[in-house]
Amino acid sequence: MTAHNHFEAPKSGASTVKEELIAGVHFFILADIFIFAALFAGFMVERMADIEVFNQSANQLNPWIGIINTLILVTSGLCVVFAVDSARQGNAKATRRWLVATFTIGAGFGLSKVLEYSAKINLDITMHTNDFFMFYYALTGAHFLHFLGGMGALIFIWMATFKRPVDGELFGTIESVALYWHMVDLLWIFIFPLLYLLGG
């Protein structure tokens, strides 16, 4: 009986760590959503005050870039779903393959944003151009930072799969990173129509 209790204790501790990690990620995501919701609300208030300028500025964005970026993130998000499913089954090799696919496809979004920012700056369009572009850089910039954080997290868990079983304690971390990556997708799905389609 004593030996059995001693054997069960680590599992209980691992479960607690996993639950705390997931709870922390949930709190972070919820807080982030509230912050972005406030930015979205601020955008709409300012837009109503100067619709003409906002519409004219929106026409300077290429909606196809936004559409392509949306498809990239959604596809990358689908790959991370498969990574979690593979980890749940204890298949480390498949987990790594899907994480690489998630990262590689997601990198296309990063490249696209860098090219888009460069094009705007070359046209002397900055945060100081008008209120629309102030929101454009604030929203897409904040989202881009979240994107970079997600890419870093993907690298971290990919490396961890070589050291620990994917269906053990690491599984909670993989799930949390996947959840964060879905938040990056969700935020973009709101940002895209707000900037690229509304009034464009």
Side-chain angles (χ1 to χ4, degrees), residues 2-125:
T2 304
H4 177 73
N5 290 338
H6 178 72
F7 178 74
E8 292 294 338
K11 287 188 176 181
S12 177
S15 177
T16 301
V17 171
K18 175 183 174 181
E19 290 171 2
E20 290 178 353
L21 175 64
I22 293 175
V25 172
H26 284 178
F27 177 80
F28 178 81
I29 289 174
L30 188 61
D32 247 16
I33 289 174
F34 276 117
I35 291 171
F36 272 90
L39 288 172
F40 295 154
F43 175 89
M44 293 305 299
V45 169
E46 292 298 324
R47 181 179 183 276
M48 292 302 295
D50 201 349
I51 292 179
E52 185 177 353
V53 168
F54 271 64
N55 287 350
Q56 290 175 352
S57 299
N59 281 321
Q60 296 182 59
L61 300 180
N62 186 342
W64 283 106
I65 292 177
I67 291 171
I68 290 170
N69 283 335
T70 301
L71 292 174
I72 288 173
L73 287 180
V74 169
T75 304
S76 181
L78 181 61
C79 289
V80 86
V81 169
F82 292 137
V84 171
D85 188 56
S86 297
R88 184 178 290 109
Q89 297 173 26
N91 190 333
K93 288 184 178 180
T95 301
R96 284 193 285 270
R97 284 198 299 268
W98 284 116
L99 287 174
V100 168
T102 302
F103 182 92
T104 303
I105 295 171
F109 176 87
L111 177 61
S112 174
K113 292 308 298 178
V114 169
L115 293 175
E116 186 179 14
Y117 284 146
S118 298
K120 291 290 176 289
I121 292 171
N122 286 337
L123 293 173
D124 201 28
I125 297 175

Side-chain angles (χ1 to χ4, degrees), residues 148-186:
L148 291 177
M151 293 289 275
L154 288 170
I155 293 174
F156 171 79
I157 59 173
W158 178 79
M159 293 175 64
T161 61
F162 288 95
K163 303 174 184 177
R164 291 185 281 167
V166 294
D167 56 346
E169 293 179 27
L170 183 61
F171 182 73
T173 304
I174 294 172
E175 273 190 320
S176 297
V177 170
L179 192 60
Y180 176 88
W181 194 247
H182 289 316
M183 181 199 68
V184 173
D185 293 351
L186 180 64

